[in-house]
Amino acid sequence: MARRGHEMPTPGAPSFVQELQISQRQGNNVILQAKVRGNPGRDVRFEWTGDTYNQQAAWQSLKNRMNKNVSPNGVIQLTIENATRNDSGTFRVVVTSNMYGTKSSECYVAI
């Protein structure tokens, strides 16, 4: 039973309220942010397609400097620490909401 003023979430596919974009640059750090809604639950992952010749090695280095944060209200942030030119490329956030489907959003980051 829902409390007055608090609606129960309706099950449904994820959808983006805010597409993935660069929200801040702090020194050598870059923060990407999106906002999503959809229930029940969300699995969030990030993908990257880089501009560099050796993408596999660059991806391994990048993964070690990425911090993901997903808040209960649907704000998704990815912080890239000590970003370098090799990190330039297309970042994609993929959100899966159980049986209701998958949505993605992407943005290009130039460092």
Side-chain angles (χ1 to χ4, degrees):
M1 179 180 231
R3 294 185 296 163
R4 186 185 296 236
H6 291 80
E7 294 182 28
M8 295 296 289
T10 304
S15 63
F16 283 92
V17 177
Q18 174 191 325
E19 297 288 330
L20 187 64
Q21 61 188 4
I22 298 171
S23 68
Q24 294 180 44
R25 291 183 189 257
Q26 298 175 337
N28 291 334
N29 297 342
V30 175
I31 301 172
L32 305 180
Q33 182 172 298
K35 186 169 184 180
V36 69
R37 67 174 168 230
N39 290 299
R42 292 183 290 266
D43 175 49
V44 176
R45 75 176 188 277
F46 280 90
E47 299 172 351
W48 170 81
T49 304
D51 293 342
T52 185
Y53 176 73
N54 190 349
Q55 284 194 24
Q56 186 171 4
W59 175 239
Q60 289 304 315
S61 171
L62 179 58
K63 284 194 315 187
N64 292 330
R65 295 178 286 109
M66 289 178 15
N67 294 309
K68 175 179 73 172
N69 182 38
V70 181
S71 70
N73 68 353
V75 174
I76 302 165
Q77 285 190 329
L78 177 71
T79 301
I80 305 163
E81 297 177 346
N82 301 314
T84 70
R85 291 178 69 184
N86 287 336
D87 300 331
S88 295
T90 301
F91 286 80
R92 177 180 299 116
V93 60
V94 181
V95 181
T96 303
S97 183
N98 296 340
M99 66 183 156
Y100 294 103
T102 299
K103 293 286 184 187
S104 65
S105 178
E106 62 184 41
C107 73
Y108 184 81
V109 176
I111 311 240

